[in-house]
Amino acid sequence: KTASVLAARYVEREALDTGIFGTPVLLRALTRIGRPDLAVRLLTSRAPGSFGHLMDLGATTLWEFLEEPQASNNHPMFGTATAFLFETLLGLQRESAGYRRVWINPYTAPQLGRAAGHIDTPQGPLSVSWTRQEGSVLCQVCIPEGIEAFFGPERLALSPGTTDLCL
C-alpha cells in the first residue's frame, strides 16, 4: 500500500517537494517500486520547484533552493540527484567493492533521446551510453579489464572492451 500511495502522490505533483535529504531517497524509492518514469518526470519538469525551472531562470549551476534565487546560486545541495542518473538511467549497479563486479540495466526513459556517462573505477573508466534511433535503443557499454559485468534483466555476461547492443 505504501508504494501505491507514494506513486499516487507524485503522479499529481509537477515538481520535487522533498528537500536535499529526501530527494535521493524519493528517486531511489520510485525506482524500486517500478516507477522510474515518475522520477524522470520530476527531474525533467519545468514547473516551479524543479531543475527545469532553474534552467528557465537562467541557472547554469545547482542553486541552494529550487525556486527563485535566494542564497547561494552555486551549491551542491541538490547534486545528490546525480546518483539516480548513474544508477537508473545508465543502470550502473556496483555489486562489489571497487566496481570489480557490476550489473548494467539502464532505464531508457521514453521522454529522453539519449543518456551517457562513465564512472572512474580503479580498473579504468566504465561507461554506458544509449541513444534512441528509429524505434530502437542503441546501447554501448565499455568495460575495463578486471571488471566482471552483466547486462540487462537477463544478466548477459559482458567481456571487457566495447559492446554494442540493440534494446
Side-chain angles (χ1 to χ4, degrees):
K1 181 171 169 134
T2 302
S4 61
V5 170
L6 180 67
R9 175 179 175 81
Y10 288 98
V11 163
E12 301 297 323
R13 293 214 31 96
E14 292 291 320
L16 294 164
D17 63 351
T18 49
I20 62 169
F21 299 113
T23 297
V25 174
L26 173 66
L27 299 175
R28 191 170 288 122
L30 288 171
T31 299
R32 286 187 179 156
I33 66 170
R35 295 303 310 265
D37 59 305
L38 292 177
V40 171
R41 188 170 61 83
L42 289 168
L43 288 175
T44 59
S45 170
R46 301 202 85 79
S50 70
F51 291 106
H53 181 66
L54 293 184
M55 291 170 50
D56 290 343
L57 292 173
T60 57
T61 60
L62 291 174
W63 291 358
E64 188 170 354
F65 297 96
L66 292 177
E67 293 101 21
E68 301 293 322
Q70 296 180 28
S72 172
N73 291 340
N74 188 7
H75 204 282
M77 287 175 64
F78 284 98
T80 57
T82 57
F84 173 83
L85 304 178
F86 284 93
E87 294 170 0
T88 303
L89 292 180
L90 297 179
L92 287 166
Q93 300 291 321
R94 183 186 64 215
E95 293 190 333
S96 69
Y99 287 90
R100 292 215 174 268
R101 181 182 172 106
V102 297
W103 177 36
I104 301 163
N105 190 28
Y107 171 63
T108 56
Q111 61 268 58
L112 301 178
R114 63 188 168 92
H118 77 275
I119 292 178
D120 291 322
T121 73
Q123 296 77 29
L126 168 62
S127 68
V128 176
S129 65
W130 59 262
T131 305
R132 200 170 296 288
Q133 282 186 348
E134 301 173 13
S136 295
V137 176
L138 305 177
C139 185
Q140 184 173 80
V141 181
C142 298
I143 310 291
E145 289 287 339
I147 293 182
E148 183 180 16
F150 302 91
F151 187 86
E154 63 282 344
R155 296 182 64 90
L156 171 72
L158 298 178
S159 300
T162 301
T163 302
D164 293 314
L165 302 137
C166 184
L167 310 178

